[in-house]
Amino acid sequence: MYDFNTVDDETKLLYHRQLSTAVKSFGGINFFLQLLEEMRATTPHPLEAKNSEFSFPLGNIKWNKVIFQDKIILLLKIRTQEKEDNNLLPAKDDKQYKKVLNLVRTLKPLTFTITPINPEDGDGFTLRPFDIIGDTTTLNPLFDAVFFTSIDTVKKILAYKPRAKEED
């Protein structure tokens, strides 16, 4: 989801639906955007939390393993390169291959549970960092939206409306 403008309409609609579902289960757009604003304002990056948890007045995020800064830096670097070949993993002969493979192996088993403080606002949702299909590993668009994508882009995704198909 690094550059929402460059993906095709079908992918934009998929991202919109995934994000909209997550937003509804967290209490709505305002609560979700407040979560993102709190996360973006937090330093160091919320994923570096030693207790594997990020809390703010409207909800929290928990995950099952500490993530070190070097992994987050590498993830930030490679997420921008995914769009080139639609795979996070570089070619096997690339000097970054082993580092990226270790990153994927480290983060793949993680599950992030995002829940609102007030149960009446929604049930929350869970997500994983990667989508792995065969030999292709991509960053989960919802994970990317929650932890890295700019708030303006998230708003653009939430506001996306598919174009009406033109008939011949």
Side-chain angles (χ1 to χ4, degrees), residues 4-27:
F4 185 69
N5 295 327
T6 62
V7 296
D8 60 69
D9 289 342
E10 187 176 313
T11 305
K12 286 180 181 179
L13 185 59
L14 175 67
Y15 290 170
H16 169 77
R17 286 182 178 153
Q18 286 178 342
L19 195 55
S20 294
T21 301
V23 164
K24 286 177 191 166
S25 68
F26 191 72

Side-chain angles (χ1 to χ4, degrees), residues 90-97:
K92 288 188 178 185
D93 58 347
D94 189 307
K95 62 183 178 179
Q96 288 285 335
Y97 178 76

Side-chain angles (χ1 to χ4, degrees), residues 78 81-90 135-138:
I78 64 169
Q81 299 167 355
E82 178 183 352
K83 66 180 181 175
E84 294 170 8
D85 60 358
N86 204 27
N87 194 351
L88 276 177
L89 292 174
D135 291 337
T136 304
T137 301
T138 57

Side-chain angles (χ1 to χ4, degrees), residues 56-137:
F56 86 114
L58 297 175
N60 62 42
I61 302 173
K62 294 181 182 182
W63 56 98
N64 49 340
K65 185 177 178 183
V66 174
I67 304 170
F68 295 104
Q69 183 182 26
D70 63 324
K71 300 295 185 198
I72 295 168
I73 291 169
L74 180 59
L75 186 57
L76 284 167
K77 179 181 173 188
I78 64 169
R79 75 181 270 273
T80 62
Q81 299 167 355
E82 178 183 352
K83 66 180 181 175
E84 294 170 8
D85 60 358
N86 204 27
N87 194 351
L88 276 177
L89 292 174
K92 288 188 178 185
D93 58 347
D94 189 307
K95 62 183 178 179
Q96 288 285 335
Y97 178 76
K98 194 168 185 175
K99 282 184 179 180
V100 176
L101 183 61
N102 286 336
L103 169 74
V104 171
R105 286 180 178 160
T106 301
L107 299 183
K108 180 182 175 238
L110 294 179
T111 301
F112 294 83
T113 304
I114 299 145
T115 52
I117 292 292
N118 186 350
E120 293 176 9
D121 292 332
D123 296 331
F125 59 98
T126 60
L127 58 92
R128 293 195 172 268
F130 304 111
D131 293 333
I132 300 174
I133 302 167
D135 291 337
T136 304
T137 301

